[in-house]
Amino acid sequence: LLGVPKLRPSNATFSILIRLYSACKLLEEAVEVLKVEPSARGVKPESRLYVQLAQACLRERQGRRALEVYKMMLTCSAPTAAMHSSLLGMCVKLNMLDTAVEILTLAAESKGRVERQDADGVREAALRKKKGQLAEAASEAIAKLRGSA
């Protein structure tokens, strides 16, 4: 489909591709498709595509790759509070607290929208797991987020 020059893919097309690549555990290829193909095909990727791919990366315990996708999203659009809630909640659920704190920090630096309970959930999970440095980093990001509110 993408090799046919007369057909213009949509965000739905890319969503299906991400789902297929994810199901085949080809996340590196999915990231590459999202990096290159939309602009090559004249499509502005929607934020939901980045969230979809970041979630797939998290499910496969690929925190660095999820962060790469999150950073890609930041260059295109501002994630909503619901998107942050989804990503942070999944990180906490999967005990990927380093990744959660990194997302929280990036969100704070970009003056992103994060619900108080989601940010506090990351910090509380770090405290429960006795990860003092992560809890401290989460607290710093939370302070930055609240200062920009």
Side-chain angles (χ1 to χ4, degrees):
L1 178 65
L2 291 179
V4 180
K6 294 196 188 302
L7 293 179
R8 184 172 175 189
S10 66
N11 277 287
T13 309
F14 290 111
S15 178
I16 292 165
L17 282 172
I18 290 168
R19 190 170 358 128
L20 291 171
Y21 277 118
S22 299
C24 295
K25 301 193 187 312
L26 298 171
L27 295 173
E28 186 174 337
E29 290 82 352
V31 170
E32 197 58 32
V33 163
L34 194 53
K35 266 186 197 173
V36 175
E37 291 298 328
S39 61
R41 308 289 173 195
V43 176
K44 183 180 184 326
E46 295 172 354
S47 298
R48 68 183 176 92
L49 297 177
Y50 296 100
V51 173
Q52 178 186 359
L53 183 51
Q55 288 173 329
C57 294
L58 291 172
R59 278 192 295 277
E60 293 299 322
R61 307 284 183 160
Q62 294 188 19
R64 276 194 217 110
R65 188 161 282 142
L67 288 168
E68 176 187 357
V69 173
Y70 181 81
K71 289 174 187 175
M72 288 168 49
M73 179 171 47
L74 289 177
T75 65
C76 297
S77 63
T80 65
M83 291 173 176
H84 281 122
S85 180
S86 175
L87 293 173
L88 294 172
M90 184 175 274
C91 287
V92 169
K93 179 181 172 188
L94 297 173
N95 199 29
M96 296 176 70
L97 300 178
D98 290 328
T99 305
V101 169
E102 191 86 29
I103 290 172
L104 198 58
T105 300
L106 290 168
E109 288 170 358
S110 65
K111 297 181 181 9
R113 293 171 286 174
V114 179
E115 295 292 337
R116 178 182 291 254
Q117 69 265 19
D118 297 319
D120 289 344
V122 171
R123 180 181 53 207
E124 289 164 13
L127 289 170
R128 270 194 315 274
K129 296 289 183 177
K130 301 188 184 330
K131 305 271 186 185
Q133 285 181 318
L134 289 178
E136 187 176 318
S139 292
E140 289 172 13
I142 290 168
K144 193 177 240 186
L145 282 166
R146 291 185 182 152
S148 68

